[in-house]
Amino acid sequence: MTTANIKVKTDGNGIATMPQTEAFFKFPDPPERTPEMTTFDHLSVNGNVHYLIHHLGKQETTLVAGERYVSLAPTRDMTGLRYPDLIVAFDVDPAAYKARNAYVISDQGKAPDFVLEIASRSTGSIDTGVKRDDYAALGITEYWRFDETGEHHGTRLAGDRLVDGQYDPIPIVEIEEGVLEGYSATLHLNLRWQHGQLAWHDPDTNRHILTMDDESERADNAEARADNAEARADALEAELRRLRS
C-alpha cells in the first residue's frame, strides 16, 4: 500500500489533529441525518458496528467507520461527494482518516474495500442509482444496500462487486422464511436481512459473529469454571486434612 506522508499529531486525549492550511485541511461534517433515516437503528444502537470492529481486528490498520465524506483527493468543494453509512477499509491509516474527518483516497493510497447504505425514503433512489455509479467510479470493491422494509431500494438486501470497473450483482438467497443472505468476499462474512434486522454471520461457523452478550456469557462461564475449580481444590484439601488427622 502507498500512503501519503502525513505527520499526524494528537491532542492531550490522543485524538488526531492537523493544522488547517491550504495544503491540508479537515473536511466538515456531512449534513445531519433526518429523523426518518434508520442508520442508527441498524448499525449503532444494536451494536453491529462494535461487533464488526472486534471481529475484523487489526484496528491499527483496519478502518470501520461511516457517515464521513469519501473523496478521491482533498477538496473544499463538497458538491457530489458521498458519505456512506458504513465504510470498511483494510491496510489503511485510521489516524489519517480521523485527521481529515474523511476518507481521502489519495491519502490512503486505495479506495475503501466495502461500503454499506441503509435505506431511507429520501435516499432510496439515490442509493440504487447515481450513488452506485459513483462508488464504482471511486473503485470501491463492494457496495451493499440494506432496506428494512424493501420499500425504498426495491429489495431488502443487495450487494455488488466491482469487476473490470463495473458492478456485478452478488447473489442473494432466501435461506429460510424471513431470512435473506449474501456473501461478502471482501469481509468473508454473510450479510443477512433477518426479519428486518441486519446481521453478520461467519460462513465458517454459520453463526452470528461474536456479540457483547456472547463476550459477557464467556466471561461468566470462565468465572464459574474458576470458582468450581477453587471449590474442588478446597474440598480436596479438606479431605486430605481429615485423612491426616
Side-chain angles (χ1 to χ4, degrees):
M1 180 192 69
T2 302
T3 57
N5 293 321
I6 302 171
K7 294 182 179 179
V8 178
K9 298 180 180 180
T10 59
D11 61 17
N13 297 317
I15 304 299
T17 62
M18 197 65 64
Q20 302 290 300
T21 66
E22 288 303 310
F24 188 96
F25 68 96
K26 186 173 183 178
F27 279 60
D29 290 340
E32 290 187 8
R33 296 284 174 172
T34 61
E36 54 95 17
M37 295 181 178
T38 58
T39 306
F40 182 76
D41 295 337
H42 293 292
L43 292 177
S44 300
V45 72
N46 60 7
N48 259 328
V49 171
H50 171 85
Y51 307 151
L52 190 60
I53 289 171
H54 286 275
H55 178 79
L56 295 177
K58 297 183 179 180
Q59 295 179 37
E60 66 279 4
T61 57
T62 298
L63 177 70
V64 181
E67 299 188 344
R68 293 293 181 270
Y69 288 110
V70 178
S71 178
L72 280 171
T75 176
R76 293 185 181 277
D77 183 3
M78 304 298 111
T79 305
L81 294 186
R82 303 301 178 189
Y83 44 100
D85 293 324
L86 180 66
I87 297 173
V88 179
F90 300 105
D91 300 318
V92 295
D93 183 358
Y97 170 85
K98 291 178 182 178
R100 282 285 195 195
N101 198 36
Y103 190 101
V104 179
I105 293 173
S106 63
D107 284 353
Q108 301 290 357
K110 56 173 287 188
D113 297 287
F114 174 102
V115 299
L116 170 74
E117 296 286 7
I118 306 294
S120 69
R121 188 176 305 280
S122 61
T123 65
S125 61
I126 299 172
D127 293 345
T128 59
V130 294
K131 194 176 289 187
R132 185 175 184 267
D133 297 335
D134 290 345
Y135 288 153
L138 288 171
I140 294 169
T141 307
E142 286 188 1
Y143 172 38
W144 286 81
R145 297 168 298 287
F146 175 88
D147 187 341
E148 180 180 350
T149 65
E151 296 175 0
H152 309 308
H153 286 163
T155 186
R156 294 169 175 174
L157 182 67
D160 293 299
R161 186 166 181 85
L162 197 65
V163 178
D164 296 329
Q166 295 185 331
Y167 278 138
D168 283 351
I170 294 171
I172 304 295
V173 297
E174 185 172 16
I175 59 175
E176 60 183 77
E177 187 175 357
V179 181
L180 303 175
E181 181 176 274
Y183 175 65
S184 167
T186 295
L187 302 184
H188 186 52
L189 287 174
N190 289 322
L191 275 72
R192 286 189 181 181
W193 184 98
Q194 192 163 325
H195 306 292
Q197 299 298 313
L198 174 65
W200 318 100
H201 278 248
D202 187 337
D204 296 331
T205 64
N206 201 33
R207 298 185 61 183
H208 195 286
I209 62 176
L210 195 65
T211 68
M212 288 181 283
D213 288 341
D214 294 329
E215 293 170 357
S216 178
E217 182 179 353
R218 287 174 60 176
D220 289 345
N221 289 340
E223 184 177 355
R225 287 194 297 270
D227 289 343
N228 289 337
E230 185 177 356
R232 288 194 298 270
D234 289 344
L236 178 59
E237 185 177 352
E239 180 63 14
L240 290 173
R241 286 199 302 268
R242 186 187 68 80
L243 292 174
R244 292 192 191 105
S245 61

